[in-house]
Each structure stands twice: as C-alpha cells, then as structure tokens.
C-alpha cells in the first residue's frame, strides 16, 4: 500500500493551509527533498502526486482543519508496537531540524546576494524615517544647528555638505573604491582630505604600501632609501608614508574609534568640527563632526568696498568682497588715462585705448595700445661711434651707443698673441697651431691659427657602440650604433624593449595597458604599467523596477547592489482575473499573491466564491517516471 503522503484525499494533507503542504513520515521511509514549485496551469496532474492550496486537492479544503488523520488501515505487528510508537517522533524531529537548517541556509544565501549596507538600515523603512521630520531629518538638523544659529536659518551654502551627509545615510551611497564594497557604519574608515572619499582602513593601508613599493622598485639605486609619496585612489592627492592611516578616527580627528550611535552620523563623534575654514579667515567650522568639505564661514564682519570709497557694511565672512558700483578712477600704468570700470577687486585692467607712440630710438611713430608704450623699430642705429671710423650696428636701442668694439688691445683668432692696432686694421693670425678644443671634446684643432669655426674632428679612434657589445675603428665625429636589439623587459614587465643598440636605460612602455578593470565592463586606458590598475572612474545608475528612484554606484557594483527603495506604487499588471492588483509599493521580484476575494460564480448555484483569489496556485512538481516506478 502506498504511504500516507502519497494517498490522495487521505493523510496529513487534510486541513492544511493553502500553499503550505506537509508530508507525513512513515516508518521505514526516508524524508524526500522538496521539489520545485510551479503554477498549477503549467504542471500536469500526476496520479497521487498533486497537492494544491485551493481546497480541492487531497484531504479537502475545509473539513478536518487542524486534525491529524491516520493513514489507511494496515496490519499491525504487536511485537513492533513500541518501536512504531517512538520511531515516528524521532524521525519527525530530525526532519524538522533539517528543514530549519535548510531555511537558515536559504536565508543566508539570499542575504549574501547583495553586498549593500541597507541591512544596517532595515529598521528605517517607512516615509516617517526618510522624510524631513523623520530620524534622518532630525539628525541632519542637529548637525546643522550651530551653523543655522549663526546664519539665521540660511542653509543655501550647505548643499555640497548636505549631499555628503545624505550619501552617508543612503543604502550603498558610500563605496570603498579599492575593494568595491559598501562602507558600513560599524567599519573602520579613513577619509581623504582632497576629495573626502571614504575607504576601509585595511584597504587604504594596503594601497599605500603597494604604491610606495611600486615607485621605489622602478630604480634599484634608491630602493628602500627614499620616502616616496602614495596617491589617493580617486583624486591622486599625494601623502607621505608617515601619513598612512593607522587608527580609526572620526571625521574631525578628535575622537579615536568613535562609538556607534544610531542618532549620529555614521563615523561621527557628535562634537563640533572646529576645523579652520579654507581660505583661512580666522574662524572655524560650526557644524557637528561631518563628512565632506566644511561650508563657507557664516560669521558677520564689517568690510568696506573693493575700491575703499564706501563706508564699511556688515557682510558674511565667506562673501566679504563687495562693489559699491561707483567708478574706480585709479590712474592706469600708462600715466595718461584713468580706470573707467566700476569698483572691482585686484589690479586695474590694462588701458584699452590706442595712442600714437614713438619707438625707443625715436625715429618712427605708430598707433599702438596705450598699455604697451615701449617698442623697437627694425632699423639699425647707424650713429657714429667715438672712433669716428665706424657706426653703431645695434638695432633700435636707448641710451649711448658705447665705445668702438675694435678699439683697445685685441688678440688673434686662436687667442695666443695680443696686439694694439687701430680699429681700422684687422688683427693678423699668429701662424701657430689653433689648439682649440673641438666639438668632440677629446681632441684639439691641428690647423694653423684661423678665423671662423674649427672643422669637424676626423681622427680615427676605436669607438664602442652604445650598448657596449661591439667596437670599431671609425672617425671621431661619427656615432657607432650596432644592429642588435635590446632583449630586456620594460618597466611594465610585459613587453620587451626591442630598441636598437640600447644602452640599458630602456624607455617606458608606450603600449596601451588594455587589461580589464575590476568592474569587468571597461579596459584600462593607461599606458602599460606594473601592478594593479586604478579603479574604474565611471559610475552607473541602479534604478528600481519602475525606474523612478535611482542610486549612483561605481561601475561594477550594479550587479551586486540592491535596488533602492521606491515610494511609488507597483505598476505591474494583474496576473489573475481581477482588473487591478492590491496597492503595494514598487519592489524587485514577483508580486505577492492576490488576497482579494475570488467572487467568481460557483457552478450550479447563484452564489460567488468567498475564498481568497486562487487563480495562480503553487503545485508540487513531481517526476512521472519515478512515480510510476515506485507504484510498481
């Protein structure tokens, strides 16, 4: 006889809730694994293997609810009554333990599919949390309270800081660009002072160590001797090795290991920031410990206008310069005109007018910009020198022409003999060997004293090629390059140098890297390099099902980031005979089952079905072949 769970209409399936089948463990049989569920319309009804939650399957839908009926009568062996009374209880307890462990494993698997930090904010679900009057709004208001007291509730300059604070609350809004994982509120982090990006402390420590090692290993001479800086992974702001973070500090740097407080910003100590404003004005930040840049200074000071003509007026310290809109009137550098612009900061602009100006020597006139009065004409001076024999050969110049360059003691072309001759006579050559050092830097000129440059060195010498492998006797002025190609690997450790007669200082690799980045969507655009590639700088939008709410995440995180919570209503069409679904919010995955009353006309009467909607009922999918073989 078939077991009780295989008998249709009899057994423990009677009276069970819809969609929750339960099978009975019989003495001598093992608990079978749960089969996949499928809609009733998609699975044929096998003999003795169908269960349904509409009340029309085995055991009925309304009778015997809560009862545990026995299987069909079977012969009883009195010798085994004691074992039969204890064995089902033990097997059932084991079955329950296995079922609970499988449910826990399935729950852990479902949670591990998403590496989002939203698990820390599951208690914040609802409009009252996300609204201005909710928990997040109250925390933001408490952070800005000291600033708004000084600024008179004016928070127009806080938009950039507010964005950083909102990202700290948003699920998956803050991401470590090194490990491409969400930064959770209970993890030790470090913030860059250049771009204010957050990184896990173990990640940034490994990044700094690897960066310093790669830079120092490029040259063997200073390996481990110099302190090379390491850059921020995002903005490339450089830090010294001594600035590598070793402790978990809050944003303002006052408290080490800030405690986790649900009513404070994540990684914040809750104290006043007190950082000096940039540019320095003598005041300090008034916000509570916060991520991102400090807002502009809200203090009120009395300052005069930029030209200094108006009386001082109270102004915001971050916006002190102001214009009285009166004419500047300062004398311009040309000395002839005054500035016609309104009150402005800095130096006055160059004079925009055009005037007739003489050149430096005074021979020519031309219309030129008044801002550049000094100019030179192309004519040679031509004035007589004091010797009376020669004229000045300088181009348009100011001042005196000076003495004749040919007067006084002069030397021969090689510089060995001196003589005093009139400026009208040329100095004769001495007839000695020139002996000037030639362009090669090794030999001297062997010609007699001569005018003009020395000729090219033509002495035969034994020269070594640039790479040092071969030697050859050849003229000194020629360079010897052999035909061998360098077999060394370039700095990228991937490609050979292949340069002709390379002396050993191989140039950097000029090929493109082309390796796939961590996002698996783009390739590295940098020149071929050693070590790991920089993180992908692109960002992508992760949207909800309806596409109204979006979340910006680094490229590559879109596959593991949980879609953001959306406040819009679900737009999926109804999958049952009802025209519309019950109102519920936008969600990923399938919609929940319809809970509206069926209200379809019952056969053979004028009443309607009062049961919940059962158009799509989950059934147990079984294998026909295995069922037929077991029946035999």
């Amino acid at each position: 006889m078939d077991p009780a769970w295989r008998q249709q209409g009899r057994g423990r399936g009677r009276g069970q809730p819809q969609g929750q089948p339960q099978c009975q463990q019989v003495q001598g049989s093992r608990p079978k694994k749960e089969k996949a569920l499928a809609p009733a319309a998609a699975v044929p009804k096998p003999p003795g293997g169908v269960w349904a939650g509409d009340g029309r399957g085995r055991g009925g839908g309304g009778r015997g609810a809560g009862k545990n009926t026995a299987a069909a009568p079977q012969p009883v062996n009195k010798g085994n009554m004691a074992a039969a009374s204890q064995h089902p209880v033990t097997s059932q307890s084991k079955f329950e333990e296995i079922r609970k462990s499988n449910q826990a494993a399935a729950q852990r698997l479902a949670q591990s599919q998403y590496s989002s930090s939203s698990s820390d904010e599951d208690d914040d679900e609802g409009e009252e949390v996300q609204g201005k009057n909710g928990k997040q709004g109250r925390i933001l208001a408490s952070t800005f309270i000291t600033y708004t007291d000084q600024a008179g509730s004016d928070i127009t300059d806080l938009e950039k800081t507010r964005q950083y604070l909102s990202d700290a609350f948003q699920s998956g809004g803050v991401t470590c660009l090194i490990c491409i994982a969400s930064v959770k509120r209970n993890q030790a982090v470090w913030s860059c002072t250049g771009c204010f990006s957050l990184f896990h402390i173990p990640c940034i420590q490994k990044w700094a160590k690897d960066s310093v090692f790669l830079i120092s290993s490029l040259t063997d001479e200073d390996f481990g001797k110099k302190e090379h800086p390491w850059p921020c992974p995002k903005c490339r702001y450089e830090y010294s090795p001594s600035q590598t973070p070793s402790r978990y500090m809050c944003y303002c740097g006052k408290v080490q290991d800030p405690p986790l407080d649900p009513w404070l910003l994540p990684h914040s100590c809750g104290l006043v920031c007190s950082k000096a404003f940039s540019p320095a004005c003598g005041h300090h930040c008034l916000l509570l410990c916060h991520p991102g840049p400090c807002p502009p200074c809200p203090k009120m000071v009395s300052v005069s206008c930029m030209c200094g003509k108006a009386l001082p007026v109270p102004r915001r310290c971050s916006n002190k310069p102001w214009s009285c809109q009166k004419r500047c009137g300062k004398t311009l550098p040309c000395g002839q005109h005054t500035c016609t612009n309104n009150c402005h900061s800095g130096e006055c602009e160059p004079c925009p007018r055009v005037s007739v100006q003489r050149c430096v020597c005074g021979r020519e006139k031309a219309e030129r910009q008044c801002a550049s009065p000094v100019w030179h004409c192309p004519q040679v001076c031509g004035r007589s020198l004091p010797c009376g024999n020669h004229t000045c050969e300088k181009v348009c110049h100011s001042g005196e022409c000076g003495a004749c360059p040919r007067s006084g003691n002069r030397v021969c072309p090689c510089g060995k003999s001196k003589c005093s001759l009139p400026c009208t006579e040329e100095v004769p050559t001495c007839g000695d060997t020139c002996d000037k050092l030639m362009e090669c830097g090794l030999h001297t000129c062997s010609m007699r004293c001569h005018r003009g440059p020395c000729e090219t060195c033509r002495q035969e010498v034994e020269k070594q090629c640039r790479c040092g492998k071969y030697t050859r006797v050849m003229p000194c002025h020629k360079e010897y390059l052999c035909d061998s190609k360098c077999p060394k690997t370039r700095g990228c450790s991937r490609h050979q140098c292949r340069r002709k007669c390379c002396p050993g200082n191989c140039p950097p690799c000029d090929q493109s890297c082309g390796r796939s980045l961590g996002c698996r969507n783009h390739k590295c655009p940098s020149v071929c390099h050693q070590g790991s590639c920089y993180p992908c700088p692109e960002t992508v939008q992760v949207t909800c099902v309806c596409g109204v709410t979006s979340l910006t995440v680094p490229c590559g995180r879109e596959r593991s980031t949980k879609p953001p919570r959306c406040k819009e209503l679900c737009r999926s069409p109804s999958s049952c005979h009802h025209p519309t679904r019950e109102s519920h919010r936008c969600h990923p995955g399938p919609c929940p089952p319809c809970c509206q009353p069926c209200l379809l006309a019952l056969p053979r009467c004028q009443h309607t079905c009062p049961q919940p909607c059962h158009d799509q009922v989950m059934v147990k999918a079984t294998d026909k072949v295995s069922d037929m073989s077991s029946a035999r």
Side-chain angles (χ1 to χ4, degrees):
M1 182 177 296
D2 292 339
W5 67 274
R6 292 288 304 274
Q7 297 178 8
Q8 182 175 2
R10 295 179 298 174
R12 296 194 178 188
R14 180 176 299 174
Q16 296 298 330
Q18 297 183 6
Q20 297 181 0
Q22 184 175 0
C23 58
Q24 178 182 3
Q25 180 67 32
V26 183
Q27 177 181 357
S29 63
R30 297 181 180 177
K32 295 188 176 182
K33 297 182 180 179
E34 295 180 5
K35 301 292 183 177
L37 299 183
V43 179
K45 180 178 180 182
V50 179
W51 59 273
D54 58 353
R56 292 172 293 185
R58 58 187 178 90
R63 295 181 300 172
K67 296 181 180 180
N68 189 8
T69 58
Q74 295 183 4
V76 179
N77 187 359
K78 294 182 179 181
N80 298 332
M81 289 182 65
S85 61
Q86 295 179 0
H87 185 73
V89 177
T90 304
S91 301
Q92 186 67 20
S93 62
K94 292 182 179 179
F95 178 77
E96 290 295 332
E97 291 179 2
I98 296 175
R99 183 178 63 84
K100 291 180 180 180
S101 64
N102 290 340
Q103 288 180 353
Q107 186 176 3
R108 289 194 302 269
L109 180 61
Q111 292 178 353
S112 65
Q113 294 297 325
Y114 304 102
S115 61
S116 173
S117 63
S118 62
S119 58
D120 296 335
E121 279 83 20
D122 287 342
D123 57 339
D124 294 342
E125 187 174 3
E127 295 182 1
E128 67 277 6
V129 176
Q130 301 296 337
K132 295 182 179 179
N133 299 326
K135 181 178 177 181
Q136 177 177 341
R138 290 194 294 272
I139 295 177
L140 292 178
S142 64
T143 306
F144 296 148
I145 186 65
T146 52
Y147 185 92
T148 54
D149 289 345
Q150 295 286 339
S153 300
D154 183 12
I155 58 174
T156 55
D157 297 331
L158 293 175
E159 293 304 324
K160 190 173 182 180
T161 306
R162 180 186 289 274
Q163 182 63 35
Y164 279 92
L165 268 62
S166 299
D167 290 344
F169 281 105
Q170 183 133 15
S171 168
V174 181
T175 304
C176 177
L177 296 180
I178 300 176
C179 64
I180 316 297
S182 297
V183 177
K184 299 183 180 180
R185 62 173 64 216
N186 59 349
Q187 294 176 332
V189 297
W190 173 82
S191 176
C192 174
T193 57
C195 60
F196 307 102
S197 297
L198 286 181
F199 305 93
H200 297 118
I201 283 187
C203 295
I204 198 66
Q205 288 175 344
K206 186 177 184 301
W207 175 274
K209 181 179 178 181
D210 294 347
S211 301
V212 173
F213 178 79
L214 283 177
I215 297 175
S216 61
S217 62
L218 293 179
T219 56
D220 296 335
E221 300 175 356
D222 60 347
F223 182 76
K225 298 180 180 179
K226 294 184 179 180
E227 290 191 355
H228 298 280
W230 56 273
C232 168
K234 183 176 181 181
C235 65
R236 306 299 188 266
Y237 184 85
E238 292 188 346
Y239 296 89
S240 63
S242 60
Q243 292 177 313
T244 304
S246 59
R247 296 179 297 172
Y248 171 37
M249 305 296 294
C250 63
Y251 295 113
C252 63
K254 295 179 182 177
V255 178
Q256 181 179 352
D257 298 328
L260 180 61
D261 191 340
W263 290 100
L264 290 177
L265 287 171
H267 320 293
S268 172
C269 63
L271 303 177
V272 179
C273 178
S274 299
K275 289 183 180 179
F277 286 113
S278 180
C281 62
H283 303 124
H284 298 81
C285 180
L286 302 175
L287 297 182
L288 298 186
C289 181
H290 63 91
C294 296
C297 181
K299 296 282 186 179
M300 300 298 292
V301 293
S302 296
V303 291
S304 181
C305 66
M306 289 179 285
C307 67
K309 295 181 180 180
L311 296 176
V313 297
R315 297 276 297 178
R316 188 73 64 83
C317 182
S318 59
N319 193 22
K320 289 187 290 187
W322 65 283
S323 174
C324 63
Q325 299 301 321
K326 295 182 180 178
R327 185 173 178 179
C328 178
K330 293 181 181 179
T331 303
L332 296 176
C334 65
Q336 300 179 6
H337 308 100
T338 58
C339 180
T340 58
N341 295 332
N342 293 337
C343 176
H344 60 86
S345 61
E347 298 292 335
C348 297
E349 296 180 357
C351 184
R353 300 186 182 183
V354 177
S355 59
V356 178
Q357 301 173 1
R358 289 182 176 272
C359 64
V360 173
C361 65
R363 294 183 180 181
E364 295 186 5
K365 293 181 180 180
E367 287 189 353
R368 293 180 54 83
Q369 292 289 334
C370 196
S372 57
V374 180
W375 64 285
H376 299 268
C377 66
Q379 295 186 16
V380 179
C381 178
R383 287 184 288 183
S384 297
L385 296 177
C387 65
N389 299 320
H390 302 94
T391 57
C392 181
E393 298 178 355
K394 298 179 182 178
V395 180
C396 178
H397 66 90
S398 59
E400 299 293 334
C401 296
C404 180
R406 300 184 181 184
S407 60
N409 293 330
R410 290 181 289 172
V411 296
C412 66
C414 69
K416 294 181 179 180
S417 62
K418 298 181 179 180
C419 59
S420 178
L421 296 174
C423 63
T424 55
E425 298 183 8
E426 291 288 343
V427 178
T429 57
C430 64
D432 199 354
T433 305
C434 179
D435 286 338
K436 287 183 180 180
L437 190 65
M438 291 189 289
E439 292 181 359
C440 65
L442 301 174
H443 307 99
T444 57
C445 180
S446 59
M447 298 176 62
R448 290 184 179 275
C449 180
H450 60 88
R451 294 183 176 86
C454 300
E455 64 178 6
T456 305
C457 182
R458 301 183 180 277
Q459 293 192 29
E460 295 286 335
V461 295
E462 185 178 0
K463 302 194 73 173
Q464 193 176 29
C465 65
R466 190 167 57 182
C467 65
K469 292 183 178 180
Y470 307 99
T471 57
R472 179 182 294 179
V473 177
M474 57 187 309
C476 183
H477 69 277
K478 292 184 178 180
E479 184 181 8
Y480 176 35
L481 298 177
C482 66
D483 295 332
S484 61
K485 294 183 180 180
C486 180
K488 293 183 179 179
T489 305
R490 295 192 178 184
C492 63
S493 300
R494 296 174 61 190
H495 304 102
Q496 285 185 333
C497 176
R498 308 298 296 171
R499 187 171 63 160
K500 188 176 180 180
C501 194
C502 179
N505 54 345
C506 302
C509 186
D510 54 355
Q511 300 186 30
S512 178
C513 178
R515 288 183 288 186
S516 297
L517 298 177
C519 65
R520 304 298 178 187
N521 296 329
H522 303 94
K523 295 185 181 298
C524 181
S526 305
V527 178
C528 189
H529 57 86
Q530 219 178 18
S532 302
C533 301
Y534 280 111
C536 182
E538 303 293 334
T539 57
V540 294
Q541 296 288 332
V542 177
T543 60
C544 62
V545 178
C546 64
V548 176
T549 307
S550 62
L551 180 68
T552 302
V553 298
C555 183
R557 280 290 308 279
E558 67 275 6
R559 293 183 290 271
S560 60
T561 300
K562 189 175 182 179
R565 296 171 182 167
C566 182
K567 299 180 182 179
E568 301 292 329
L569 295 179
C570 181
R571 303 176 183 177
S572 299
S574 177
S575 58
C576 60
H577 66 274
H578 294 97
T580 58
R581 289 184 183 270
E582 293 178 324
S583 297
H584 60 281
R585 290 197 177 174
C586 175
H587 59 89
C591 293
C594 181
C595 297
Q596 304 179 58
C598 179
L599 300 181
L600 290 177
L602 293 175
R604 302 176 184 177
C605 69
Q606 67 271 17
H607 300 98
T608 58
C609 180
Q611 299 296 328
C613 181
H614 48 83
D615 283 359
Q616 287 190 342
V617 181
M618 306 303 289
V619 301
K620 184 177 180 181
T622 58
D623 191 0
K624 288 185 177 180
V625 178
S626 62
D627 291 342
M628 294 176 64
S629 61
S630 61
R632 291 177 183 176

